């Protein structure tokens, strides 16, 4: 039975590069897939593209390609990625330049686009799910609207001989489903196979999470070699069965438990996981330990895809002003609490009314609040004030006020920092599938 080996070369935009190189050099893979787009990433890319039409793709694209292209070209490993982000065209041009500099010949790069539906969303005044209003009534500065596209355009690119496929917003598991559809001839309406392939893609899409990274918990779930964590490989056959593994000797581990945790990651309804390609059913998936760092994946199903596509909508939502300062030694918690009370009172005296504000002691209550905060007195704490403001100038006042604690009390404050960050918020909507059409263009070397 025909099998292929697919490597998961990244789980997010800034992921480590060395494990992907290891996959190319030692993983005996035919495909190297880089999944690098979170919800907010493409909105950031659209802002970068608006400032410079040659930018807007993944900022580590060049570093990754310089690292893996020599081996991939030598071994004939195909690369599939969404590192095109908001600008797949210029991402493709950059990869072509890098390939030429490496002496590559007869290389075909496919550029998949069509996910940018901003003008359509604005013209149709779509309703935003979380805000609960149409764009025209949202009072938000819309920056981006990108539809989650499926695997079909990437399959088309592979059928036309592409060695490298660069896309923008596509569904994460679709990146991995595409080579399965291409290699095994799965048709776009073979719901069972597409469901199984989507499950495999979901297992691979977060890179080192499934090889023990996100799983690790010292003393409870120990994982060896996390500093050189190996990224995952799926051995997939034409029946949609898979074995998850990694490069021998790399850090981490692949177990039934690491696979179970990854399967449930970001899953809303396991028996109806909606993707652009299929409604996948994870509810009957089984995992079996087949050897050290080898887990067999069986089961899974799929049903007819929906008539809609999810669209992520990015908008500018003000600024976050932040200030931090540390206290250590006896009474550190009391002094940290006093510092926060001082800042709170200073805001009232100055008439400063941010839209939203938090007063936290990092190490005491910053994650789970006072209800679940620890009862012991830590030796050191860090006071943090963060506020959402309408303007950058207002946000700057937050850190400035925290910084004044240096000399205005309490005693022993140090290491103050302050920052202002623009908020790119995300919402979502659904559009009819026929309103977003994928296109494929090619660059040949």
């Amino acid at each position: 039975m025909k099998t292929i080996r697919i490597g998961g070369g990244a789980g997010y935009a800034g992921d480590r590069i060395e494990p992907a190189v290891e996959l190319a050099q030692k993983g005996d893979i035919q495909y190297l897939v880089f999944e690098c787009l979170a919800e907010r990433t493409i909105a950031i890319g659209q802002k970068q593209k608006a400032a410079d039409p040659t930018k807007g793709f993944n900022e580590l694209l060049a570093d990754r390609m310089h690292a893996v292209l020599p081996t991939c070209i030598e071994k004939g490993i195909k690369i599939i990625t969404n590192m095109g982000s908001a600008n797949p065209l210029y991402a493709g041009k950059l990869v072509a330049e890098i390939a030429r500099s490496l002496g590559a010949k007869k290389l075909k790069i496919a550029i998949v686009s069509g996910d940018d539906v901003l003008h359509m969303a604005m013209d149709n005044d779509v309703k935003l799910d979380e805000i609960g209003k149409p764009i025209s009534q949202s009072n938000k500065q819309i920056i981006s609207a990108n539809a989650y596209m499926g695997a079909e355009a990437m399959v088309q690119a592979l059928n036309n001989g592409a060695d490298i496929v660069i896309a923008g917003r596509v569904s994460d598991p679709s990146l991995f489903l595409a080579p399965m559809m291409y290699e095994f001839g799965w048709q776009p309406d073979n719901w069972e196979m597409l469901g199984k392939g989507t499950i495999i893609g979901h297992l691979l899409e977060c890179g080192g999470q499934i090889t023990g990274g996100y799983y690790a918990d010292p003393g409870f779930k120990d994982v060896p070699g996390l500093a050189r964590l190996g990224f995952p490989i799926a051995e997939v056959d034409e029946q949609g069965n898979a074995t998850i593994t990694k490069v021998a000797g790399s850090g981490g581990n692949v177990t039934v438990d690491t696979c179970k945790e990854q399967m449930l990651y970001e899953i809303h309804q396991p028996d109806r996981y909606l993707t652009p390609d299929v409604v996948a059913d994870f509810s009957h998936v089984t995992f079996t330990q087949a050897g050290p760092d080898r887990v067999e994946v069986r089961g899974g199903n799929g049903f007819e895809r929906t008539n809609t596509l999810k669209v992520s909508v990015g908008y500018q939502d003000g600024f976050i002003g932040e200030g931090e300062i540390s206290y250590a030694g006896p009474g550190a918690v009391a002094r940290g609490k006093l510092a926060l009370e001082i800042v709170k009172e200073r805001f009232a005296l100055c008439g400063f009314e941010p839209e939203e504000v938090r007063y936290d002691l990092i190490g005491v209550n910053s994650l789970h609040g006072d209800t679940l905060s620890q009862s012991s007195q830590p030796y050191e704490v860090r006071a943090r004030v963060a506020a959402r403001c309408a303007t950058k100038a207002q946000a700057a006042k937050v850190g400035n006020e925290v910084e004044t604690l240096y000399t205005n009390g309490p005693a022993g404050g140090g290491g103050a920092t302050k920052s202002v960050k623009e908020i790119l918020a995300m919402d979502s909507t659904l559009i009819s599938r026929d309103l977003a059409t994928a296109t494929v263009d090619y660059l040949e070397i």
Side-chain angles (χ1 to χ4, degrees):
M1 186 179 295
K2 181 178 181 180
T3 63
I4 60 172
R5 285 169 63 94
I6 304 171
Y12 78 102
D15 214 343
R16 296 175 186 167
I17 296 176
E18 303 99 304
V21 176
E22 184 176 56
L23 285 173
Q25 293 177 345
K26 302 178 181 179
D28 192 26
I29 57 175
Q30 288 80 51
Y31 292 89
L32 182 57
V33 179
F34 293 95
E35 194 293 290
C36 294
L37 276 185
E39 291 280 323
R40 190 172 284 100
T41 314
I42 203 160
I44 296 171
Q46 293 288 12
K47 283 189 66 69
Q48 293 170 339
K49 182 181 177 182
D52 182 345
T54 69
K55 303 297 183 183
F57 48 82
N58 181 268
E59 294 179 352
L60 290 181
L61 175 65
D63 291 341
R64 286 196 173 99
M65 292 301 103
H66 277 296
V68 303
L69 263 184
T71 301
C72 290
I73 292 171
E74 177 187 350
K75 295 187 173 185
I77 300 169
K78 293 182 182 290
I79 296 173
I80 302 174
T81 183
N82 55 11
M83 283 191 284
S85 189
N87 204 342
L89 175 60
Y90 275 87
K93 290 181 177 181
L94 176 59
V95 173
E97 290 178 9
I98 294 170
R100 290 190 190 97
S101 73
L102 296 171
K105 297 178 180 179
K106 297 183 179 179
L107 194 71
K108 193 170 188 178
I109 301 170
I111 300 164
V112 179
S113 55
D115 60 292
D116 187 342
V117 293
L118 177 60
H119 293 299
M120 183 283 304
M122 299 295 286
D123 292 344
N124 287 271
D125 197 20
V126 298
K127 183 180 179 180
L128 302 177
D129 290 343
E130 293 188 26
I131 293 176
K133 298 178 181 179
I135 287 177
S136 63
Q137 299 175 26
S138 68
N139 195 31
K140 301 296 182 183
Q141 180 185 343
I142 306 299
I143 295 171
S144 65
N146 292 81
Y148 281 81
M149 310 298 282
E152 287 187 65
M154 294 181 287
V155 176
Q156 176 187 332
L158 294 171
N159 277 321
N160 288 333
D163 302 292
I164 301 172
V165 181
I166 300 174
R169 173 61 75 197
V170 294
S171 173
D172 296 354
S174 300
L175 293 162
F176 301 87
L177 178 61
M180 301 179 216
M181 294 176 66
Y182 165 68
E183 292 282 353
F184 303 135
W186 295 347
Q187 295 303 304
D189 60 354
N190 189 338
W191 308 122
E192 180 182 0
M193 291 300 102
L194 267 57
K196 290 182 176 181
T198 295
I199 291 165
I200 297 165
H202 176 74
L203 291 172
L204 294 179
E205 69 186 37
C206 295
Q209 287 195 180
I210 196 173
T211 55
Y214 202 67
Y215 171 86
D217 190 359
F220 299 94
K221 299 180 295 182
D222 292 311
V223 177
L226 286 171
R228 58 177 311 273
L229 186 67
F231 282 3
I233 300 168
E235 300 172 354
V236 188
D237 68 28
E238 59 195 40
Q239 297 301 314
N241 301 313
T243 298
I244 307 298
T245 186
K246 65 184 183 69
V247 173
S250 62
N253 53 26
V254 179
T255 68
V256 169
D257 286 344
T258 67
C259 292
K260 284 181 179 179
E261 287 201 8
Q262 175 57 29
M263 184 180 72
L264 295 176
Y265 180 74
E266 292 185 337
I267 293 297
H268 176 251
Q269 188 174 341
D271 62 348
R272 281 188 58 81
Y273 183 58
L274 305 181
T275 80
D277 302 296
V278 64
V279 177
D281 181 0
F282 292 46
S283 63
H284 293 90
V285 174
T286 63
F287 298 107
T288 304
Q289 197 76 44
D293 296 321
R294 293 183 64 82
V295 173
E296 293 180 347
V297 186
R298 299 291 184 269
N301 202 353
F303 305 98
E304 184 175 359
R305 68 190 187 185
T306 66
N307 292 322
T308 56
L309 294 175
K310 177 183 176 181
V311 176
S312 286
V313 180
Y315 60 92
Q316 207 281 339
D317 197 28
F319 297 84
I320 290 180
E322 186 174 8
E324 297 182 5
I325 189 168
S326 296
Y327 298 91
V333 172
R335 282 179 286 133
K337 289 180 177 179
L338 177 57
L340 296 178
E341 288 299 323
I342 291 170
V343 174
K344 187 181 298 186
E345 188 173 352
R346 286 290 303 164
F347 285 172
L349 290 171
C350 298
F352 179 58
E353 298 180 353
E355 297 175 9
E356 184 179 357
V357 63
R358 287 182 60 104
Y359 303 91
D360 299 318
L361 283 184
I362 298 173
V364 177
N365 61 8
S366 63
L367 293 179
H368 297 150
D370 290 322
T371 302
L372 297 177
S373 64
Q374 62 183 45
S375 57
S376 62
Q377 295 288 307
Y379 180 80
E380 60 185 48
V381 296
R382 189 158 176 83
R384 173 183 179 265
V385 180
R388 184 161 64 92
C389 305
T391 68
K392 188 174 183 179
Q394 288 176 324
K397 295 179 181 179
V398 179
N400 290 342
E401 196 59 61
V402 171
E403 188 180 52
T404 66
L405 296 171
Y406 262 141
T407 56
N408 293 277
T417 59
K418 56 184 179 180
S419 65
V420 174
K421 299 175 183 177
E422 182 181 25
I423 302 172
L424 292 181
M426 302 302 297
D427 210 318
S428 60
T429 189
L430 296 175
I431 63 169
S432 176
R433 183 177 291 272
D434 58 13
L435 293 178
T437 303
T439 59
V440 186
D441 298 292
Y442 298 93
L443 298 172
E444 297 193 45
I445 299 173

